[in-house]
Amino acid sequence: MQQLSWYLSLILFTVSTCGSPGPNNLMVMSSGVNYGIRRSWSHVIGINVGFPLMVVAVGIGLGGVLHRFPVLLDLLRPLGVAYLLYLAYQIMSAPTDGGATTEAAAKARDRKPLTVLQAALFQMVNPKAWVMIVGALVTYGTGTDFLLAEILLIALIFFLFGTPCTIVWLWLGASLKKLLARPALQRGFNIAMAALLVLSVVPTIGEVYRSLR
């Protein structure tokens, strides 16, 4: 009974954190609007492969390395913020294709979503991913020295229950694409998503600022 409670608690944690707004979900929804479902599968796969792998890496020892050498985290944070701001700019400036000129439509067709590798590596600089992973390991681990089987189980649950959450956000974005057929509306959506992405890293920006003072 206690083990069942542990599973249910971890599953609820996974669904609530993976299903809530954050850099991954905002980006994949934007990808659904701009590229559609089929072209965005690489982004979805990258997120849901890269995140569990990061759970395993942190659980095995990466977290301990960062705790021992906090300067690495001080370097990782500004890199992550810079990359997220770059992605926000890319979303905001993405060309729209609904009813556009031939040249604009060609540019829209040439756009590419994140590859599997890019989306997987993005987890390393995603502030929400770090918070989720550390929170899961500390809360649902049996001690400070995590067992490999325990780490793999937590990673598996994130994969099994986090993937549908990402797909829902992708579907939501693809559904909005029909409502945003006019270029002006799609442009407005992209700007709004870029602004939300920037807001999602404001706490991390504050930490970077304090570390540089």
Side-chain angles (χ1 to χ4, degrees):
M1 191 68 179
Q2 186 176 2
Q3 189 174 17
L4 177 61
S5 176
W6 182 88
Y7 277 112
L8 291 176
S9 180
L10 179 55
I11 289 170
L12 286 174
F13 175 86
T14 300
V15 172
S16 63
T17 52
C18 292
S20 60
N24 277 330
N25 289 335
L26 292 175
M27 287 166 57
V28 86
M29 183 169 72
S30 178
S31 185
V33 168
N34 291 288
Y35 308 122
I37 290 178
R38 185 178 62 83
R39 295 183 65 195
S40 299
W41 275 115
S42 60
H43 196 155
V44 172
I45 293 170
I47 290 172
N48 293 286
V49 170
F51 190 91
L53 288 177
M54 188 172 162
V55 171
V56 175
V58 172
I60 289 176
L62 181 57
V65 172
L66 291 173
H67 181 73
R68 186 176 179 182
F69 303 102
V71 66
L72 295 178
L73 191 57
D74 290 337
L75 292 174
L76 188 63
R77 280 183 182 140
L79 287 176
V81 168
Y83 188 56
L84 279 167
L85 293 178
Y86 167 75
L87 290 174
Y89 170 75
Q90 291 290 95
I91 291 173
M92 181 182 66
S93 61
T96 57
D97 55 358
T101 64
T102 303
E103 182 180 357
K107 288 182 179 179
R109 287 193 298 269
D110 288 340
R111 290 176 293 159
K112 294 181 180 179
L114 291 185
T115 65
V116 173
L117 182 60
Q118 288 172 331
L121 291 177
F122 170 70
Q123 305 315 305
M124 291 293 295
V125 295
N126 182 357
K128 184 182 177 183
W130 281 99
V131 172
M132 289 168 58
I133 290 171
V134 172
L137 290 172
V138 170
T139 304
Y140 299 99
T142 55
T144 54
D145 296 323
F146 306 111
L147 299 175
L148 180 58
E150 191 175 71
I151 296 169
L152 293 176
L153 183 56
I154 292 174
L156 178 62
I157 288 177
F158 267 114
F159 174 76
L160 293 177
F161 293 91
T163 301
C165 296
T166 313
I167 293 174
V168 167
W169 280 86
L170 174 61
W171 172 83
L172 179 61
S175 299
L176 287 174
K177 185 177 179 68
K178 299 175 183 178
L179 299 175
L180 302 174
R182 292 173 56 187
L185 292 177
Q186 190 173 344
R187 172 74 67 189
F189 172 84
N190 288 341
I191 293 173
M193 288 300 100
L196 288 174
L197 187 57
V198 171
L199 286 174
S200 73
V201 294
V202 165
T204 307
I205 294 174
E207 292 179 13
V208 170
Y209 174 76
R210 286 191 294 270
S211 68
L212 294 176
R213 293 183 62 182

